[in-house]
Amino acid sequence: MEENKFIREIIDFDFKGLGMTKVDGLPVFLDGGVIGDQVEFLITKKKKNFCKGKILNTVKKSKDRVNSPCPYFKDCGGCDFLNYSDNMELKWKEEDVNKNLEKIAGLDIKVDEVLDSPEKTHYRNNMQFQVRDGVIGLYGKNSKDIVAIKNCLMQRDKANEVLQIMWRYKKLKDLKRIGIRTNYKGEVLLILVTRDGEVEIKDVLPDLIDAGVKSIYLNYNGGDKFHYSREFEKIYGEDTIEEKLLDINYKISPESFFQINRLATEKLYQKAIEYLEPRAEDKIYDLYCGVGSISLSVAKNGAQVIGIEIVDRAVDDARINAENNNINARFVKGAAEEVIEKLWEEEKISPNKIIVDPPRKGLDEKLVNFLKENPVERLVYISCNPATQARDLKSLKEVYRVEKVALVNLFPNTAQVETVVLMSRK
């Protein structure tokens, strides 16, 4: 056997869902496979603390391997676990969260409860498809190559209908990206991304309307760092579409953050509210509040709630959502770490409970320090990245007791997961 060629069993996944084994004690991250597979592979890159490898063939298949229902799965980078059993996927996610709690946060606590998604496919209400040389698709596994996609198992049927119509669009080469947002009623908000200039859509507009498209926006984005720039222009229909969570209606604009899996999100928010235990006399801050989806669910119980969000349009939507649902809540624009200090010190509004739901990078260090210097009765931390959450918990545990951890399978068939942590002041 060649010097860089090995046969080993895959023993774990990395945070991207790639298979992992070991050679001479060093982890080797492979370009596929599932836990339990015995594979022959070639080491393609050696680093000081790890290696990367390419699987040449599967010597013996894992007992937990299943046949993928998706014809694109082998090449498409959108999903990680369509060839791995649902039960084992959930078990791995729980073990991975526990590992982060122990090794990163230094906590002697494990996941208390695992809440699975009611839907494993067709659950996504928001997807972005790349367009290159007249081809619509998703990035390939570990590459920027485009895999042509005409029907995605993860998004709603209405979204797939719109996707197929866009394949017939005569000026597809003018586009850079297509965003498709759907709601519980099957309505669609379509985002067409172009580097510059206008886009003419007369040839497909009647079909799009018949498919349930209620709103179409152009987005001018010359860069590649983000899906969208801030330059949105409505070219057809309504300003927003409406979504519903826990019997509250929300207006969704093209740039607004909203969880991609509605039914699993209801489980997530119910658990977060259970941990928070809101009472009428409470003063609660909801940091990184988005369009107010948690804020309004909490304020519905009578608590005084202030939501803080840095995206201007999301705050505008949150205020409209509060008014439309006749719920009393206040929303403030700005960075959480700056606004909370201003409200606390200048307006003398000191909450007794706080809920945070930051982006994948976790909490700003300045905010962590503020929460430690001004501890509250209850702190509920929602995260889509257990590793950065564990990093923050390592610091916060100096002042807070970590009481409970729940896992919600918000992103089935991927390596991503959502967690909710309850902390109380020591």
Side-chain angles (χ1 to χ4, degrees):
M1 186 173 291
E2 294 179 18
E3 184 179 350
N4 284 336
K5 197 180 289 186
F6 301 88
I7 294 177
R8 294 286 191 279
E9 182 177 320
I10 295 177
I11 58 175
D12 203 352
F13 298 113
D14 76 346
F15 70 98
K16 293 181 179 178
L18 298 177
M20 192 273 278
T21 187
K22 288 190 175 183
V23 171
D24 298 330
L26 280 181
V28 181
F29 299 104
L30 302 172
D31 59 343
V34 302
I35 294 173
D37 279 348
Q38 190 177 60
V39 297
E40 181 182 13
F41 62 94
L42 187 70
I43 290 182
T44 56
K45 187 178 291 187
K46 291 184 178 180
K47 298 284 187 178
K48 183 178 179 180
N49 298 318
F50 69 93
C51 300
K52 290 185 178 181
K54 177 178 178 59
I55 294 176
L56 301 175
N57 66 80
T58 302
V59 178
K60 184 180 178 181
K61 292 183 178 180
S62 168
K63 62 180 176 58
D64 301 311
R65 177 180 278 275
V66 298
N67 292 323
S68 168
C70 176
Y72 310 111
F73 176 70
K74 182 181 177 182
D75 301 310
C76 177
C79 294
D80 307 306
F81 296 141
L82 278 171
N83 60 347
Y84 196 48
S85 78
D86 290 343
N87 289 338
M88 295 307 294
E89 174 192 329
L90 213 52
K91 181 181 178 183
W92 175 79
K93 288 180 174 179
E94 182 178 3
E95 290 174 350
D96 189 60
V97 172
N98 287 336
K99 193 187 306 179
N100 286 322
L101 291 169
E102 178 186 358
K103 294 186 175 181
I104 300 177
L107 289 166
D108 184 21
I109 190 171
K110 295 186 182 298
V111 171
D112 296 277
E113 191 173 1
V114 176
L115 303 172
D116 202 1
S117 173
E119 300 171 311
K120 296 302 180 69
T121 59
H122 300 293
Y123 64 85
R124 290 191 65 112
N125 58 29
N126 187 7
M127 288 193 69
Q128 296 84 36
F129 293 89
Q130 310 304 318
V131 183
R132 186 182 298 167
D133 298 326
V135 173
I136 307 173
L138 299 172
Y139 287 128
K141 292 188 185 299
N142 310 306
S143 81
K144 292 295 184 179
D145 294 337
I146 302 298
V147 178
I149 305 289
K150 295 193 174 180
N151 187 80
C152 179
L153 276 176
M154 294 302 117
Q155 70 175 355
R156 298 293 186 187
D157 289 337
K158 278 292 182 181
N160 279 319
E161 190 176 341
V162 170
L163 179 63
Q164 287 151 26
I165 292 169
M166 290 308 300
W167 268 98
R168 304 197 297 267
Y169 177 45
K170 293 178 181 178
K171 297 186 178 181
L172 197 54
K173 289 186 178 181
D174 293 341
L175 300 182
K176 174 183 177 183
R177 188 171 294 116
I178 297 172
I180 307 175
R181 304 191 72 156
T182 53
N183 66 5
Y184 72 104
K185 295 187 286 188
E187 297 172 341
V188 181
L189 187 152
L190 180 63
I191 304 167
L192 306 177
V193 182
T194 178
R195 290 189 183 277
D196 51 49
E198 298 293 328
V199 171
E200 179 57 67
I201 58 167
K202 287 181 180 178
D203 63 314
V204 290
L205 183 58
D207 290 339
L208 290 173
I209 294 171
D210 288 344
V213 172
K214 296 296 182 182
S215 181
I216 302 176
Y217 278 85
L218 276 187
N219 180 259
Y220 305 98
N221 187 1
D224 293 315
K225 188 175 181 181
F226 301 105
H227 289 308
Y228 308 122
S229 73
R230 295 188 177 184
E231 296 183 63
F232 286 91
E233 177 190 351
K234 188 182 72 173
I235 59 173
Y236 168 77
E238 302 170 10
D239 291 343
T240 60
I241 58 173
E242 183 180 86
E243 191 54 281
K244 178 178 283 191
L245 278 176
L246 301 176
D247 295 322
I248 298 176
N249 295 320
Y250 298 91
K251 295 291 185 182
I252 306 297
S253 57
E255 66 266 51
S256 294
F257 170 79
F258 202 81
Q259 296 284 10
I260 64 168
N261 184 340
R262 188 176 73 89
L263 297 181
T265 298
E266 291 192 329
K267 287 189 172 187
L268 172 70
Y269 287 178
Q270 284 170 334
K271 181 54 60 177
I273 293 168
E274 176 189 319
Y275 281 177
L276 197 64
E277 288 189 3
R279 302 184 300 263
E281 62 271 22
D282 287 337
K283 292 181 180 179
I284 300 171
Y285 283 178
D286 176 13
L287 311 184
Y288 312 92
C289 70
V291 297
S293 49
I294 300 177
S295 304
L296 300 185
S297 297
V298 173
K300 195 166 64 169
N301 295 304
Q304 179 183 340
V305 178
I306 298 178
I308 300 172
E309 170 59 48
I310 197 168
V311 178
D312 289 356
R313 182 62 186 268
V315 175
D316 294 340
D317 288 344
R319 290 168 178 165
I320 293 170
N321 291 331
E323 183 178 350
N324 290 347
N325 288 278
N326 197 28
I327 296 175
N328 186 29
R330 178 184 173 190
F331 295 95
V332 183
K333 298 179 184 179
E337 64 274 11
E338 296 172 3
V339 174
I340 189 174
E341 188 172 351
K342 181 177 180 180
L343 290 172
W344 207 302
E345 295 179 0
E346 294 183 14
E347 296 193 27
K348 307 301 180 186
I349 304 174
S350 53
N352 61 314
K353 296 176 182 178
I354 291 177
I355 188 164
V356 297
D357 187 5
R360 290 189 62 81
K361 65 181 180 179
L363 300 177
D364 183 273
E365 186 178 0
K366 182 179 178 182
L367 177 58
V368 171
N369 291 332
F370 187 88
L371 294 173
K372 288 165 64 177
E373 293 165 5
N374 302 275
V376 292
E377 175 189 329
R378 281 181 181 242
L379 176 59
V380 176
Y381 189 154
I382 298 175
S383 174
C384 60
N385 188 339
T388 56
Q389 183 185 52
R391 176 205 66 201
D392 295 338
L393 293 180
K394 181 179 180 180
S395 182
L396 290 167
K397 71 179 183 180
E398 297 172 16
V399 178
Y400 296 92
R401 278 188 298 273
V402 179
E403 305 274 4
K404 293 180 180 180
V405 181
L407 179 156
V408 183
N409 192 22
L410 206 73
F411 315 97
N413 296 305
T414 77
Q416 297 181 42
V417 70
E418 203 89 4
T419 51
V420 193
V421 174
L422 167 63
M423 287 171 275
S424 63
R425 182 175 53 208
K426 287 184 177 178

